[in-house]
Amino acid sequence: MRYNWLVSLTACLGGILFGYEIGVIAQVLGMPSFLVDFDMARMDGNATLVTTPNYTSNSSLVTASLLIGCIVGAAVLSMVVDLFGRKYSILIGSVVFTAGVALQTSSSPGALTTLLAGRAVAGLGIGVVTTVVPLYINETAPPASRGALTSVHHLMITFGIVLATSANSLVIHASPMLAGVVSPWRIALLLQAVPAILLCGAVIFIPRSPRWLCEKGKHAEGLEVIAQLRNRPATDETVVDEYEALRDSIDFERSIGDSSWSELFHSDTRGRALVGVVNQTFQQLSGINVVLYYSPSLFPQMGFDAYSSLIYFPLGNAFINFAGTFPAMWAVDKFGRKPLLQWGGFVIGVSHSLVFMFLVLAKLLDNQLFSWGAVLSLFVFLIAYSATWGPVVWAYQAEIFPLRVRAKGTGLATMTNWTWNAIVAWAFPPIFVAFEYQPYVYIIFAVSGFLSSVWSTFCVPETKGLSIDEIDAVFGAQSRRNAKFF
C-alpha cells in the first residue's frame, strides 16, 4: 500500500510541476521589476511604466524558450528512459529543471541570455518529466486505478497553475515590502523549484518500473516490485500471473522487432497518426496558452486596470480552468470522446466570437459593461476547453495506436503539441502588435474552434469502451469510410 501512495504522489507532483511552470510566467511578464530589469519597459518622468520596443520580441523569447527546451527534452526521452529507466529519468528531469530554475533566478538585470538559457534548461527537464510520469503511472499502478491516476495527473496540471498564480499574486501584493531587498520576479521564479524538489524526494522512495526491470532481464526484482505494488507476497498467483503476462508481452514485442518511424505512415496507421497530430494542433490553436501566458496583456486592452489584470483575472482563469477539469473526468467515459470534442470545439468557437463581438461593442459604444461580457465569454471558453479539448485529446491519443508503434505515435502527437505551443507563444505578441491591440486575434481562435468541431464530426472515430482489436477495426478501411475518414 505504501508504494501505491508513492505512485499517486508521483502522479500529483509530476502534474503540479508542469502546471506550475505553465502558470508562473504570465504574471512574471507583468511585474514592473522584471520588465525594467530586462529592457522591456522603463519608468517615464511621471513614474508611469512604459513598454520599450524590445517588449514584444523579449516577451516572445522568454515564453518560447522554455517550450523549445520541452521539445528537445521530449525528443531525447527515448534514450534517457531506456538507459536509466523510468524512476531515474524522472529524477534526472527534476534535477535538470531545478538547475534551470537556478539559472533563471540568478540572472543579473539585463542578462537576458542567462535567463533564456535557464528557461531552456528548465524546459529540457519538463519535457522529460511530463512524458515519463504518465508512462511510469501506466506501468506501476493497479489496472483498476490506472485510469483514475492518469486523470489525477492531468487534474494536478491545472492545480499547479492555480498554485503558481496564487503564489505569484502574493508576491506581487508584497512587492512594496520587498522593494530594495529582492526583486519580486526572483522569488516567483525561485518558487518553481519547490514542486521539483518535492518530486525528487518522492522519486527516491518509489520502486523501479517492473516493465523496465523485465526488459533488462531483472526478473526476480521485477516480480518483487509487482508484489510490493499489489501488497501481496511474490508467490501469490495473481502476482505471478501479472508478471508472466508482462513477460509474454515483452517477448511478443521483441519477436516482431523494433518499429520504425516510417510505420506510422503505413496504410493501417497513418490515419491514426493524422488524427493524433491534428487533434494536438487544434488543441493549441484554441487559444488556451495565449490566455494562460499573456493574460496580463489581454485584460488591459479590455479596459481593466493593471493591478486587476495582473492578479484578479489570472486567478479567475486558473481556478476556472481547474474546476472545469472535474466534469471531464466523468464525462469522457459517460458520453464518449467524440461528442466532447464536437461540442467542445463548437462552444470554443462561439465563446471566442462573443469575446470579439463584446470588445468591438465596448469600443464603439464606450461602455465597460460590454468588456465584462467579453470576460464572461472568455471564462466560458476556459470551461469548454478544460472539460473537453484539454484532457480528452491526451486520453484519445493514448488509446488509438497499436502497441507496436504506440510509443512513436504518442511521441509524434506530443511533439506536435509542444511545437504548436512554442509557435503560438512566439507569434502572439507580434501578431497582437500588428493588429494594433485590436481583438481580431479572437476571430482566429473562433475559426479554429469551429473547424475543430467539424474535424471531430467527420474525422475522429469514437473509441469509448472499445478493445484494442475493436479500435483496429474502427481505423480499418471499411470503418474509415463509415466514419467519413477521408
Side-chain angles (χ1 to χ4, degrees):
M1 187 63 67
R2 177 173 66 91
Y3 280 117
N4 287 331
W5 277 108
L6 286 171
V7 170
S8 303
L9 179 62
T10 302
C12 292
L13 289 174
I16 288 173
L17 176 62
F18 184 25
Y20 201 100
E21 180 54 45
I22 292 174
V24 74
I25 198 60
Q27 289 166 297
V28 169
L29 284 172
M31 292 181 181
S33 60
F34 181 81
L35 297 175
V36 171
D37 282 351
F38 292 98
D39 196 27
M40 292 186 234
R42 58 178 177 80
M43 291 293 183
D44 65 10
N46 298 319
T48 302
L49 193 69
V50 179
T51 57
T52 67
N54 294 326
Y55 174 80
T56 300
S57 59
N58 286 1
S59 59
S60 293
L61 285 169
V62 169
T63 305
S65 55
L66 177 116
L67 301 171
I68 293 171
C70 289
I71 294 172
V72 176
V76 303
L77 176 68
S78 59
M79 295 180 290
V80 176
V81 169
D82 185 59
L83 183 61
F84 297 105
R86 282 60 160 157
K87 171 177 177 171
Y88 289 109
S89 292
I90 296 172
L91 183 62
I92 291 168
S94 301
V95 171
V96 170
F97 175 81
T98 305
V101 171
L103 268 177
Q104 295 173 61
T105 307
S106 63
S107 300
S108 303
L112 183 64
T113 303
T114 304
L115 178 72
L116 296 179
R119 295 276 295 164
V121 170
L124 187 68
I126 283 286
V128 172
V129 170
T130 57
T131 311
V132 179
V133 167
L135 181 64
Y136 180 81
I137 294 169
N138 188 59
E139 294 178 358
T140 56
S145 61
R146 200 169 287 157
L149 279 176
T150 302
S151 298
V152 166
H153 175 70
H154 289 296
L155 178 67
M156 288 300 103
I157 293 175
T158 61
F159 184 59
I161 298 173
V162 170
L163 289 178
T165 308
S166 301
N168 281 351
S169 297
L170 291 173
V171 171
I172 294 168
H173 187 71
S175 292
M177 294 181 287
L178 298 173
V181 180
V182 62
S183 296
W185 63 265
R186 293 188 190 277
I187 297 177
L189 293 179
L190 181 62
L191 289 174
Q192 297 173 97
V194 174
I197 293 170
L198 292 175
L199 183 58
C200 283
V203 167
I204 293 173
F205 299 101
I206 64 175
R208 285 178 177 268
S209 162
R211 181 180 182 85
W212 185 82
L213 290 169
C214 186
E215 287 175 345
K216 299 302 179 183
K218 300 180 179 181
H219 298 298
E221 188 178 350
L223 179 64
E224 183 63 30
V225 166
I226 288 184
Q228 291 172 335
L229 288 168
R230 305 300 176 253
N231 199 29
R232 296 173 182 269
T235 54
D236 185 89
E237 184 178 353
T238 58
V239 171
V240 174
D241 288 346
E242 182 176 348
Y243 191 73
E244 288 303 318
L246 177 61
R247 290 189 65 173
D248 290 342
S249 173
I250 291 172
D251 289 342
F252 174 74
E253 291 175 28
R254 286 173 174 167
S255 69
I256 60 178
D258 294 332
S259 63
S260 64
W261 284 98
S262 63
E263 288 184 49
L264 286 175
F265 306 100
H266 289 179
S267 59
D268 58 338
T269 53
R270 65 181 175 222
R272 311 179 203 214
L274 179 65
V275 169
V277 166
V278 175
N279 280 357
Q280 289 286 10
T281 299
F282 276 126
Q283 187 200 68
Q284 289 304 303
L285 293 181
S286 68
I288 182 62
N289 284 323
V290 167
V291 175
L292 294 178
Y293 294 152
Y294 296 112
S295 57
S297 299
L298 294 176
F299 289 105
Q301 302 304 323
M302 297 181 181
F304 297 102
D305 64 272
Y307 191 80
S308 297
S309 300
L310 195 55
I311 293 184
Y312 299 128
F313 288 117
L315 280 172
N317 288 347
F319 276 99
I320 290 172
N321 186 41
F322 175 60
T325 307
F326 284 95
M329 297 173 66
W330 163 77
V332 69
D333 287 321
K334 174 69 175 179
F335 300 111
R337 286 71 163 146
K338 187 183 182 82
L340 290 183
L341 294 177
Q342 285 175 297
W343 286 103
F346 178 76
V347 176
I348 287 170
V350 170
S351 58
H352 279 307
S353 299
L354 289 174
V355 173
F356 174 78
M357 182 191 73
F358 280 124
L359 291 179
V360 169
L361 289 174
K363 185 173 183 180
L364 288 176
L365 303 178
D366 192 24
N367 190 331
Q368 186 69 12
L369 185 62
F370 288 108
S371 294
W372 280 107
V375 171
L376 292 177
S377 300
L378 203 60
F379 288 166
V380 170
F381 155 68
L382 286 169
I383 294 172
Y385 172 86
S386 58
T388 60
W389 277 86
V392 174
V393 167
W394 295 102
Y396 192 83
Q397 78 174 35
E399 62 191 4
I400 62 173
F401 290 102
L403 182 62
R404 178 175 169 81
V405 295
R406 181 165 296 171
K408 288 181 172 63
T410 55
L412 176 65
T414 301
M415 288 284 289
T416 302
N417 177 282
W418 286 121
T419 301
W420 276 109
N421 197 334
I423 290 172
V424 171
W426 174 276
F428 174 74
I431 289 175
F432 205 34
V433 171
F435 285 157
E436 297 180 343
Y437 301 103
Q438 297 301 309
Y440 303 120
V441 68
Y442 296 104
I443 293 297
I444 298 174
F445 299 144
V447 170
S448 175
F450 289 128
L451 287 176
S452 70
S453 181
V454 174
W455 162 261
S456 303
T457 300
F458 295 104
C459 301
V460 177
E462 181 58 75
T463 58
K464 185 190 79 167
L466 299 184
S467 67
I468 293 175
D469 290 338
E470 289 170 330
I471 290 174
D472 287 341
V474 164
F475 281 92
Q478 182 176 355
S479 294
R480 281 205 303 270
R481 287 195 297 272
N482 293 340
K484 301 178 182 178
F485 213 77
F486 295 110

